[in-house]
Amino acid sequence: MSDTTQTLPKAGKTLSGGRIDLLIAALLLAMAIAAPFVIESRYMMGQLILGLFWASVAVQWNLLFGYAGVFSLGQMAVFAVGGYATAMLAYYLDLNIFLAIAAGAVIATVFSALVGLACLRLQGVYVALLTYAIAQVIYLLIVTDTNCFEMVGTTCRQFTGGATGFARFGDFGMRAILKGDWIKGNYAIVLGCFVLSMLVSWIILHGPMGLAFKALRDNQAYAVARGINRFHTQLLVFGLSAFFTGMTGGLYATHFQAIGPGIFSISSLLFILAIAVVGGVGTFWGPVVGTIVLMVADELMREVGSFRSIGLGLIIAFAVVALPRGLVGRFSDIFHKHKS
Amino acid sequence: MSETKGTSLELEGIHAGYDGPDVLHGITLTVPQGQIVTVVGPNGHGKSTLLRTISGLTARRAGRIRLGGQDLTGLRPERIAALGLAHVPQGDLLFPEMTVYENLQMGAYLSRDPQQFAALLEDVYALLPRLKERHGQIASSLSGGERRMVGIGRGLMAGARVLMIDEPSLGLAPLVIEQIYEVIGTLREQGRTILLVEENPARVAHLSDVMHLLDDGRLTWSGAPAELLEREELLETYLGG
Amino acid sequence: MDILIAIITTGLTNGALYALATIGLSLVWGSMGMLNMAHGALLALGGYAVFSVATTLGLPVWLAVLAAAGAGALAGVILYICVVRSLIRTAGKNFETSVMIATVGISISLQNALLQVYGGQPLKQPFGVSGAFRIGDSVVPWLNVVIILVSVVVMLGLALLISRTRMGRAIRATAQNREAALLMGVAVERTYLQVLALSGAVAGICGVLVSSVTQLSPTLGADPMLKAFIMCVVAGLGNLPGAVAAAFGLAMIEAGVQFGMGARWGFPVLLMLVIAILIWRPNGLFGRAQIRRM
């Protein structure tokens, strides 16, 4: 590698680090599989599952922003679309929950592709603003929905679930099989899906499309001159990332047996941004590392309760200023300096 | 204008570059008070980088720069400008949405003295009457030659001790180039101190007191203009005739 | 006829508020290529500053409004010193996105800090005018007139500052060509500081006006900021007169839709319109090419 990679080092190194990736993956996977046999506390298992949800969304956001250069602030909206679609299909049509999750992922993909058609031709910041605005509009339309769709007992229920959302539309069926250990069954399902999404991301990033992303990110004019269609590539990754984000939304709704408009809140988007920024935008393991760090930090800040959000916001700002490529970027810089 | 006799601008072993390796490899030259010193050389060999380094836009990696005896090491561009160095950059870099008059006003940004401003403006208008005609016009709507004149006028408005002009002929039609160099000829008669950069030595030989040949980041020849024009092998090798 | 007057009153009032929120954002974007996601939180800060100074300390309201502007300006200065300055120096081509993410963080922190200090229950803030006058059969509150007047005065003041003063020239010069501004001796970093302070001051006053219509809550700036984003995008980021025109125009349309189709459809219709405009003109209606900061 030439010395000019000093300024743009991320891409090339992860490529050559395929073996390192495998090692890290094996280690993490071993820990993740061992966890339910070691951990007895249901609360801890719940937190692990929650961590997997966050990590999954952050991984997909990182794929979009860190690799494809699309700065979207609508990630939680895609997540919510997946969750809502799952809940509504199961609630209204009594669809099998796994089918509903798959359908939710597809609907999220279609939704995202439509958004992409509307805004991917725009410059970076415009994309961010529009995706943010679209997410807010959906949120506002849901919470201000007051039209009665059906009566449940004496209360009226809106088609979109209104301000309360949906609950008790089905679960993974683990309570019937595993009884008290149902949460470990849920964990297995969520972990399996997470591993799948990581695997697909890895394959994509190391295939021709990954090269196209890198070319577009590092030198757009050159990439376009070499026949890479920016719009198509970005739309493709928009859809792909939406599929797994939507799927995670469906899993989330099913695990908690509830979904409501709160998921659109800026603080959940913020948590995703924080995970990616602290871990390292544009690095493969960044979102995973970021999730671990922030879940632990969050756990510690539980003590100070109401100051949690203040702390989270400051952590983000600090990380952007002091760790431009996150903990993983920082670590790999040190690692590579040491080696050379 | 402050009148300290002797050397105005001194460069000693300047190394500079952008992200990659050095573009300038140890430039040493002086611009004496009241003289026009010209650096000629092929494009892409560091002429603009040299001026940018002097005015602080490009980071200097080694060497010293002194202006009227004052060390410019580590100073930011706005401080260097305040010490009396005006830089007319390549491609003018006008303020495109401002009028000609506002551009000239920006040239005198550092002087808060309205009388001095009026005097400088009168000088510039006398030298470049076209600017007076066009004073209310938006800069981006001017012709190439007019834009160049605004660039030079804006540089003069600083009332600086040393003026640096980067390729005033760049991208202009031959007739317009002649006009621009006539203006610089007038500046020479006024006894100004100028560091000029140009690709074609024939255009500036009659204006220069000293000429330097910049090749691949090094000064390969220095001397009187007449000598350079006689050295045909130099012109051949470096400038393609 | 009554509906028309109601639409015009609402449209003009909201237009004034949006315009004020928009020019603060647009000024910062235009001069430094920074999208300040904490702008909405600065609005809230201004609203609470008025409450603290006038209601809690009992000082006159006009002084409290000045304090709100001061608080916003101070927040802008702190934001610059703690976050923006080092990002400008280090983030390079990632500046645009980095500064957005960082200011999202600052915004959440500031809103939650306000929540901690003032509590979650909505407060009534002291700035306001009671009474109304009639046009035909419709009632127009004096408060709306005051809001429009104050907005116009602030915007005119800002316009004069930008177009006529030495500081304003330096701001415009920096926006149009940063390198050339440096060569003219403009201390560009100080200009950035001034821009954020100015924008913060305008945001503070805007927050006072917004909270006089709604009520004080830490998230009071979220909705105006969202609208302001839309206005900025329609006008083309960084275009101040365009932003003002877009603000009034879109506010009128929004008011019309709200009266015609119901309040909840105002913003969705607006957004559809914006998306259509952007597909037609990706740089906004009056947009200019990318600004050069680096």
Side-chain angles (χ1 to χ4, degrees):
Chain A
M1 244 167 275
S2 73
D3 55 357
T4 48
T5 46
Q6 206 66 64
T7 48
L8 275 173
K10 32 203 155 176
K13 280 172 187 166
T14 37
L15 239 191
S16 61
R19 199 170 287 176
I20 298 174
D21 284 349
L22 200 66
L23 203 74
I24 297 173
L27 203 71
L28 284 174
L29 194 61
M31 279 160 61
I33 291 174
F37 298 101
V38 183
I39 296 168
E40 280 306 315
S41 140
R42 186 174 289 178
Y43 172 76
M44 274 297 288
M45 286 309 294
Q47 291 303 97
L48 274 185
I49 295 176
L50 193 60
L52 284 174
F53 289 139
W54 290 123
S56 179
V57 179
V59 164
Q60 298 306 325
W61 186 77
N62 183 43
L63 191 69
L64 257 188
F65 175 53
Y67 286 94
V70 180
F71 187 38
S72 163
L73 291 179
Q75 193 69 4
M76 290 316 288
V78 177
F79 180 86
V81 166
Y84 265 96
T86 303
M88 288 165 85
L89 287 170
Y91 185 86
Y92 290 118
L93 304 177
D94 271 332
L95 201 64
N96 173 291
I97 200 73
F98 293 100
L99 280 178
I101 292 172
V106 172
I107 291 171
T109 312
V110 172
F111 163 75
S112 193
L114 287 176
V115 173
L117 281 176
C119 66
L120 278 185
R121 284 187 200 282
L122 307 173
Q123 281 171 4
V125 175
Y126 286 76
V127 174
L129 289 184
L130 266 196
T131 48
Y132 181 66
I134 290 171
Q136 286 301 304
V137 162
I138 298 174
Y139 167 76
L140 288 174
L141 283 181
I142 291 176
V143 292
T144 56
D145 189 3
T146 48
N147 291 333
C148 274
F149 183 70
E150 58 171 25
M151 292 302 288
V152 179
T154 52
T155 54
C156 117
R157 158 170 292 281
Q158 300 83 21
F159 179 66
T160 58
T164 44
F166 292 91
R168 264 168 269 128
F169 41 81
D171 64 7
F172 291 123
M174 287 297 156
R175 277 190 178 78
I177 306 170
L178 294 172
K179 305 286 184 308
D181 275 343
W182 60 271
I183 199 157
K184 295 185 178 174
N186 282 13
Y187 175 76
I189 293 172
V190 174
L191 180 65
C193 290
F194 177 69
V195 171
L196 179 75
S197 81
M198 285 296 277
L199 204 63
V200 173
S201 307
W202 195 89
I203 291 171
I204 285 167
L205 288 176
H206 291 75
M209 200 148 99
L211 284 174
F213 293 156
K214 242 169 284 162
L216 283 170
R217 189 186 52 193
D218 294 346
N219 189 342
Q220 204 170 90
Y222 177 74
V224 171
R226 292 300 297 266
I228 295 172
N229 184 320
R230 166 171 168 255
F231 183 68
H232 286 167
T233 318
Q234 289 192 339
L235 193 61
L236 212 62
V237 74
F238 219 63
L240 195 90
S241 144
F243 181 85
F244 286 110
T245 306
M247 185 180 83
T248 310
L251 292 170
Y252 175 94
T254 312
H255 170 70
F256 286 106
Q257 296 188 317
I259 185 112
I263 202 65
F264 284 97
S265 77
I266 183 101
S267 57
S268 39
L269 177 67
L270 190 79
F271 204 69
I272 298 298
L273 294 183
I275 287 170
V277 168
V278 170
V281 170
T283 61
F284 188 73
W285 295 107
V288 179
V289 172
T291 307
I292 296 169
V293 171
L294 277 172
M295 289 294 287
V296 171
D298 203 29
E299 211 48 47
L300 295 177
M301 282 193 287
R302 207 166 286 276
E303 299 290 312
V304 289
S306 44
F307 291 96
R308 177 177 169 268
S309 294
I310 302 180
L312 202 59
L314 292 179
I315 286 176
I316 291 197
F318 175 78
V320 171
V321 172
L323 296 168
R325 288 177 51 236
L327 289 169
V328 170
R330 195 64 193 267
F331 180 76
S332 85
D333 281 350
I334 294 169
F335 181 71
H336 281 88
K337 213 168 272 172
H338 216 70
K339 238 171 48 172
S340 59
Chain B
M1 245 159 285
S2 58
E3 291 296 324
T4 42
K5 267 291 161 207
T7 299
S8 267
L9 183 64
E10 272 177 286
L11 276 65
E12 211 181 297
I14 294 299
H15 287 259
Y18 304 91
D19 288 336
D22 282 1
V23 177
L24 300 177
H25 311 277
I27 304 287
T28 300
L29 65 77
T30 57
V31 182
Q33 175 81 34
Q35 292 198 0
I36 298 194
V37 173
T38 309
V39 176
V40 294
N43 274 334
H45 283 225
K47 295 190 309 268
S48 288
T49 307
L50 178 62
L51 296 195
R52 290 174 60 89
T53 308
I54 297 170
S55 59
L57 291 177
T58 299
R60 188 197 60 258
R61 290 182 181 158
R64 295 185 90 75
I65 303 172
R66 269 189 290 269
L67 181 67
Q70 181 148 15
D71 197 348
L72 301 186
T73 308
L75 294 186
R76 307 161 70 73
E78 70 266 20
R79 285 289 305 137
I80 293 175
L83 289 173
L85 183 87
H87 180 176
V88 180
Q90 190 176 56
D92 306 320
L93 305 189
L94 300 184
F95 302 111
E97 288 161 39
M98 290 188 181
T99 62
V100 170
Y101 178 76
E102 282 177 314
N103 267 281
L104 295 178
Q105 252 183 325
M106 278 312 297
Y109 176 76
L110 287 169
S111 129
R112 289 163 185 267
D113 176 1
Q115 273 176 335
Q116 193 193 356
F117 175 78
L120 282 165
L121 190 67
E122 201 174 313
D123 284 353
V124 168
Y125 278 164
L127 182 74
L128 303 157
R130 185 73 69 85
L131 299 191
K132 192 171 187 179
E133 287 166 31
R134 299 274 151 121
H135 72 275
Q137 203 167 324
I138 298 292
S140 60
S141 69
L142 298 172
S143 75
E146 288 165 344
R147 279 212 287 272
R148 191 66 32 91
M149 287 179 197
V150 177
I152 293 171
R154 193 181 63 177
L156 288 169
M157 287 301 291
R161 177 196 321 234
V162 177
L163 184 65
M164 303 197 297
I165 311 179
D166 195 345
E167 282 210 54
S169 65
L170 187 80
L172 297 181
L175 213 67
V176 186
I177 294 178
E178 234 169 82
Q179 288 174 9
I180 296 290
Y181 275 114
E182 262 170 45
V183 170
I184 296 177
T186 314
L187 293 178
R188 176 186 166 80
E189 282 160 24
Q190 294 173 356
R192 307 225 186 209
T193 312
I194 297 176
L195 177 58
L196 181 66
V197 154
E198 170 61 61
E199 192 185 1
N200 182 349
R203 274 189 202 128
V204 288
H206 66 287
L207 292 170
S208 311
D209 293 294
V210 180
M211 289 180 90
H212 299 274
L213 185 59
L214 182 69
D215 177 52
D216 208 11
R218 291 181 176 81
L219 291 183
T220 50
W221 186 90
S222 305
E227 286 175 49
L228 179 65
L229 293 183
E230 280 165 19
R231 297 279 295 270
E232 289 197 5
E233 82 286 358
L234 273 179
L235 297 178
E236 229 21 65
T237 324
Y238 293 121
L239 304 162
Chain C
M1 182 60 196
D2 290 347
I3 289 180
L4 199 66
I5 288 171
I7 289 177
I8 291 175
T9 313
T10 313
L12 280 181
T13 312
N14 284 343
L17 292 174
Y18 296 163
L20 214 49
T22 307
I23 52 171
L25 267 183
S26 203
L27 179 69
V28 173
W29 170 266
S31 35
M32 51 207 291
M34 160 183 170
L35 204 61
N36 183 8
M37 299 292 284
H39 199 73
L42 295 185
L43 259 62
L45 184 69
Y48 280 106
V50 141
F51 177 82
S52 275
V53 174
T55 308
T56 312
L57 297 180
L59 296 172
V61 171
W62 64 266
L63 199 67
V65 175
L66 284 185
L74 187 67
V77 168
I78 294 171
L79 183 64
Y80 178 77
I81 291 172
C82 295
V83 177
V84 182
R85 188 172 55 181
S86 50
L87 282 181
I88 286 178
R89 289 179 187 162
T90 57
K93 65 170 186 162
N94 295 326
F95 175 77
E96 274 176 23
T97 43
S98 298
V99 84
M100 271 179 89
I101 296 173
T103 49
V104 168
I106 297 291
S107 164
I108 290 291
S109 293
L110 185 51
Q111 283 178 21
N112 280 284
L114 289 172
L115 188 69
Q116 290 303 314
V117 175
Y118 294 95
Q121 74 285 12
L123 298 171
K124 170 129 181 49
Q125 65 108 308
F127 177 86
V129 188
S130 55
F133 66 96
R134 306 177 75 86
I135 303 178
D137 283 338
S138 19
V139 179
V140 180
W142 282 111
L143 179 62
N144 292 44
V145 179
V146 170
I147 286 175
I148 296 169
L149 281 180
V150 173
S151 300
V152 169
V153 167
V154 172
M155 283 188 277
L156 280 180
L158 190 68
L160 278 177
L161 190 80
I162 299 275
S163 63
R164 296 289 154 83
T165 66
R166 185 170 178 270
M167 177 170 111
R169 268 201 304 281
I171 290 175
R172 279 185 296 144
T174 307
Q176 291 172 28
N177 198 320
R178 175 180 174 273
E179 265 194 358
L182 278 171
L183 291 180
M184 301 303 117
V186 176
V188 164
E189 297 208 335
R190 200 182 61 208
T191 302
Y192 288 159
L193 181 81
Q194 290 165 342
V195 164
L196 271 171
L198 265 180
S199 155
V202 173
I205 294 175
C206 182
V208 174
L209 298 183
V210 168
S211 56
S212 71
V213 190
T214 58
Q215 258 175 335
L216 280 174
S217 78
T219 53
L220 75 90
D223 181 65
M225 184 175 75
L226 194 61
K227 304 274 170 60
F229 281 154
I230 298 289
M231 315 296 171
C232 272
V233 166
V234 168
L237 282 164
N239 183 318
L240 287 180
V244 173
F248 278 102
L250 290 180
M252 279 297 180
I253 295 174
E254 188 192 25
V257 172
Q258 280 175 340
F259 277 95
M261 295 170 63
R264 64 190 289 253
W265 292 105
F267 190 44
V269 169
L270 217 58
L271 189 68
M272 288 299 158
L273 194 70
V274 168
I275 291 176
I277 290 175
L278 283 178
I279 289 173
W280 172 46
R281 297 197 57 156
N283 277 318
L285 282 180
F286 325 104
R288 64 171 184 217
Q290 267 289 34
I291 61 136
R292 298 179 37 170
R293 177 176 18 81
M294 292 300 137

